[in-house]
Amino acid sequence: MNKNKVVVGLGLVCLLLSAALMLGRQRIRPDRLAPGQTLWRLSYQIVTSPLSRGQRLEIALPYETEKIKILGKALYHPDFVADTIRTKEMGQRELHCISRKNSARAVISCQIDLLTTPRRKRKRKAVTSLSADKRENCLILEASLRILAKQYLKKLKKEAIERPQIPHLIFDHCYNKLRDSASELDDMAQRVLASGNATPQGRTSTFIALCRAANIPARQVRGFFLAAANNVTPIFWAEIRQQGRWVPFDPVRGHSLSLPLNYLPIKRGQSPIVTVKSGLEPSVNFSISRLRATPGTGFSNDSTWFDLLDLT
């Protein structure tokens, strides 16, 4: 009799545990998408040649936003040992891949699955102070560029304006007044300030330089539009520190204070998305594809208890 009770008790425990696991699966990775949700896959294809043993690659991974959630990643790296770390300075998640042997050619493939959802809510980040080191890092300008930027800023400020309005004045000038250029020379803020011509990167670089000249911490962001395409080129925008928070400005496409939902930030700071230590720059191809919802993918708040009966 006691033995039967033990067996029944164990059976009930296993049943409850199975139900809990299935409920967790349904809440985190259900088989359907809620209205308005979409699934995407961002792919990196990285080719290095030649490759030396011990050579290290640093690969930036996307940041989550209020409307974009990272579901997971898959990595193919037969010639590397890989680990994921988070940097202190920017809170950046990076893959650090270290080569295991000398090779004429090596490939790293990385796939990151993403979910966009209009329903996702994140707690608004609390107002925080910027450490002295981080603040200084977001105010750095070469001496010659600082002098030029301050002179340029004086011309823009034809009349006294309040400090919170300075970024908007700079933004309006970089978005509306600079002329489009296709020359890589016009990527640099110093060249833009001298000529008035700017590439998309040049507009962002100039916005950052003028903000820093006004003693406003500013930094560059690289990322992508979430839209299906092969051989995607990263886009650039800026963030400034205002009232204890980082606020986005895109002087290329005319967005300020907030960005469209399909902006996916990948890397904050000046360095590229993929960097190699002590070696030749790798060949990198980025692509984005839209996925269909399949069992085990997605994120929904509409699951019901009846879904527990679906064991797919």
Side-chain angles (χ1 to χ4, degrees):
M1 186 68 178
N2 291 335
K3 187 180 294 186
N4 290 337
K5 288 182 178 180
V6 170
V7 172
V8 171
L10 289 174
L12 288 173
V13 169
C14 291
L15 182 62
L16 290 173
L17 181 59
S18 299
L21 290 173
M22 285 188 289
L23 180 60
R25 178 184 70 86
Q26 286 299 120
R27 286 185 174 179
I28 297 172
R29 302 181 71 85
D31 303 339
R32 297 185 303 278
L33 297 179
Q37 293 179 333
T38 54
L39 285 173
W40 299 89
R41 174 166 292 164
L42 169 63
S43 300
Y44 300 7
Q45 184 79 5
I46 304 163
V47 179
T48 62
S49 58
L51 183 70
S52 302
R53 187 174 184 274
Q55 191 171 326
R56 188 175 74 177
L57 278 78
E58 296 178 358
I59 305 167
L61 300 174
Y63 289 90
E64 290 194 340
T65 70
E66 292 181 357
K67 302 297 182 181
I68 300 176
K69 177 182 175 63
I70 299 173
L71 296 181
K73 68 178 186 294
L75 184 65
Y76 173 77
H77 55 100
D79 297 318
F80 294 84
V81 176
D83 194 15
T84 304
I85 69 159
R86 185 181 294 274
T87 63
K88 292 182 180 180
E89 183 178 352
M90 299 288 185
Q92 176 81 57
R93 291 174 64 247
E94 291 183 339
L95 282 171
H96 284 195
C97 301
I98 301 175
S99 62
R100 294 191 262 198
K101 59 183 181 180
N102 296 328
S103 175
R105 183 178 182 274
V107 176
I108 298 175
S109 295
C110 182
Q111 293 181 339
I112 302 149
D113 288 350
L114 307 157
L115 172 78
T116 62
T117 174
R119 294 188 178 187
R120 185 163 188 252
K121 294 182 179 179
R122 296 179 66 186
K123 292 182 180 179
R124 190 177 184 185
K125 291 184 178 180
V127 175
T128 58
S129 59
L130 205 60
S131 69
D133 289 344
K134 288 182 180 180
R135 180 179 177 82
E136 182 179 354
N137 190 49
C138 292
L139 289 171
I140 292 174
L141 282 177
E142 293 180 3
S144 58
L145 177 55
R146 181 175 293 278
I147 293 170
L148 182 60
K150 284 190 173 184
Q151 291 172 348
Y152 202 93
L153 200 55
K154 283 182 180 179
K155 295 178 182 179
L156 289 183
K157 295 193 296 181
K158 296 178 182 179
E159 56 187 37
I161 62 172
E162 295 182 1
R163 182 175 174 79
Q165 295 305 312
I166 293 176
H168 297 277
L169 176 69
I170 296 171
F171 169 79
D172 179 69
H173 180 79
C174 291
Y175 178 57
N176 291 307
K177 305 297 171 56
L178 298 177
R179 297 180 295 272
D180 290 336
S181 171
S183 171
E184 292 184 0
L185 295 174
D186 294 323
D187 286 347
M188 308 300 294
Q190 191 155 354
R191 167 94 175 195
V192 174
L193 293 175
S195 69
N197 302 318
T199 62
Q201 184 175 350
R203 290 179 189 272
T204 305
S205 300
T206 302
F207 175 84
I208 291 170
L210 291 173
C211 284
R212 290 183 177 185
N215 204 36
I216 299 170
R219 64 189 184 188
Q220 179 179 271
V221 185
R222 295 172 194 248
F224 298 104
F225 293 129
L226 277 182
N230 293 319
N231 197 19
V232 184
T233 301
I235 60 172
F236 300 88
W237 65 94
E239 292 177 338
I240 67 164
R241 190 73 174 180
Q242 200 170 53
Q243 297 180 346
R245 295 185 177 91
W246 287 104
V247 181
F249 283 81
D250 182 358
V252 179
R253 288 153 285 269
H255 304 294
S256 60
L257 304 181
S258 63
L259 297 174
L261 303 183
N262 64 337
Y263 273 55
L264 176 66
I266 305 288
K267 181 81 173 184
R268 290 185 169 104
Q270 296 301 119
S271 57
I273 293 173
V274 179
T275 58
V276 60
K277 301 297 182 180
S278 64
L280 297 176
E281 288 298 315
S283 169
V284 184
N285 178 271
F286 302 105
S287 62
I288 298 173
S289 56
R290 185 167 176 175
L291 304 178
R292 296 178 58 188
T294 56
T297 63
F299 182 90
S300 172
N301 296 322
D302 297 335
S303 300
T304 69
W305 286 95
F306 296 102
D307 291 331
L308 294 177
L309 301 177
D310 180 6
L311 300 182
T312 56

